[in-house]
Amino acid sequence: MPADDTDNFARNQRALDRLGILLGPRVQRDVPLGPYTTYKVGGPANLFLTARSIDDLHAVSNALREQKVPLLVIGRGSNLLVSDDGFDGLVIVLGEFAEEINWPQRPAVPRVIVGGAVPLPVLARQSVARGLTGAEWCVGVPGSVGGAVRMNAGGHGSDIASSLESAKIFHLGKGIIANVQSRDLGLRFRGSDLQAHHVVLSAAFALGWGDQSASESEISEIVRWRREHQPGGQNAGSVFVNPQPGGGSAGAIIDRLGLRGLRIGSAVVSDKHANFIQSDVDGSAEDVALLMAEVRSRVREELNIDLRSEVRLVGFDPETATEAGALLGGGRDSTESSPRTLTRLDELFGPLATDDTLSAVTMSPPLPLEAVAELRELFDGTGATSRPDDSDVSPQPDTSTNVSDVASGETPVAPVVDISTAAQSRIESDTAAGVPVVIDDAEHLLPHERSEGSATLSLDPTSPFSTGSVVVPGTSLADVIVDDRIGRRSWLKRLLPRRVSPFVGFGVVIAVIALALVVLASPIFAVRRIDITGVTYTDAALVEDVSDSLRGASVFTADLDGAQRRLEGDPWVARARLSWYLPNRVTIEVDERQAVAWFVGVDNRARVLDFEGRVLAVLDGQPTQIMKIEGVGPNLPPGTVPSLVYQAAAQLAVSFPASLAPRVKHVNVDGPESLGFTLKAGTVVTLGAPVDIRGKLISVVTVLNQQNEDFIAGIDVSAGQPVVRND
């Protein structure tokens, strides 16, 4: 039974399935969203895409023109609460291409262009390290630049609007990029005009040249204040926005009601700050939403203050979001399905047309009266039958209509003939008249069921079975057994003479050998077609040379083993298989090694490594699509294997737990006994000697689950036990 198109859920699921097919290997399915938020709770996304380039965003834009689905762009997830049921839509996360920062050099204009995926604390610390001032407040906001622009994030007396000059925005609905001035973004207190189909690729900030030591002191003071007054753990910062000026802070308002420590299930109002709601490890997003609604309800009832939440609820029903005072994140606004006032941003990109508008219905012109009369003659007297859904089973009145009764402009509909009823009537009338009923279903038989000829048995006239007068006692046709081995033996005797001359035997052998030589040398069996599969990075010149060595040789004598050894000498080739097929085809199947990491040698050239640490290639550029091993390594040629620490670094690059891998920026190697990695938040993790890596990673993940990594400068597990450093 087909799904009902009126069912929004079923329609959305079909759209998601089709969108997944359109995007192909770019998307993943059922990816948990908890690790991508600071609350660490919530269910999976139906479709999940990490945009590693602008081309990926163009692919999404093209696919969305075919299938409209709910959208959600996630930065650091510091203002999102994802439902336990997950998000039935497409989630987009920007990859490393959006993590670049273009720094100015003194005495140039202090304008910084920052990628949309750069964490705000990283922007703060690195700008201060370069002598820039104006972004110190960002160190206390655990979000990304893109999310901060969309929400006009702020804190410690400043916000994004105070220094933002412009933002480069990709419009998923139209597939275009535009640099938009800050005045056209509709920036307001914790909000803007940016919608789900707007992706912030980068932002330009006007900072200033200042005193580095003073800026570092300011950052230290902000970090100290936040540690003293705000809790760590799993939360999204301040839940409710401060009321209008003069109304006091939201935290103080909640504190007046003594709600610190209020708990619902796995969610609790922080004892350290009343405007923070924390979730337990492996907690429930539903509990957090219920606690938000409970706090808001008590404040409204007792103080007549309506709090608004700056946390966006994703995957929840509108009623739950309304009760929590929050906005729903991940909307279907890429279709502009809900009417709203056009903004300056809409004017710059041009508004999207809704896909809910139906085209005008065009009616066919009425049939002429002559055609109506002709139809009347053809179908007159055929009778009518009731529709399956007709409830009235009483005899129908005569529906015949004269041509003169048909109004001009009306098209008559001929009565429907029930074939099964007419056939049954004929059978009943024939039976009453004594006509026998003959059923012939030969035309309906399948080919293997039809009888194409007679199955009669013809006997020799001299046979005793040819007449019924002769009876063999106790014998029937079924008892007659024919031994066909007798016939085979007689033919064998005819073919084999009793004596074979030695000269004849020798001649036969010579003839067979000559025939084999002729066959082997025949151009019919010369290799003319070579099919090659699996080759991407293997040396093209080597593949062509191997192919030339096989082309023209006989498929029976071609040196496939030698060709295999030559191919497997290429560093990229893990395994090569060669096979021949008559009359003239050879196939070459190559399994290539997979590049997982790279490091820079002393000659400033990149060495690409596979999982085993083997050097696959030496490049002049930087393969940023795979993990970088930070540090200067040896000048090794392709095919060689570096020291143990670099082998461990290559294996570490693809061995991070799923909850940790998206947060790793690069792996670190500093000496033969010093292995580690750096998080995108700036946290440096020291693993020490490349031993017991799994146990050390477990310790690191445990620390990161308990504390906010944005406030951790380093974690040292080289001695086994984790030592956390907060600068």
Side-chain angles (χ1 to χ4, degrees), residues 13 17 78 160 217 312 447 482 581 611 686:
Q13 291 302 309
D17 290 340
S78 59
I160 287 293
S217 298
R312 288 179 174 262
V482 178
Y581 298 90
F611 179 76
T686 303

Side-chain angles (χ1 to χ4, degrees), residues 241-259:
V241 179
N242 294 336
Q244 296 298 325
S249 68
I253 292 172
I254 298 171
D255 217 13
R256 286 167 55 187
L257 302 181
L259 297 182

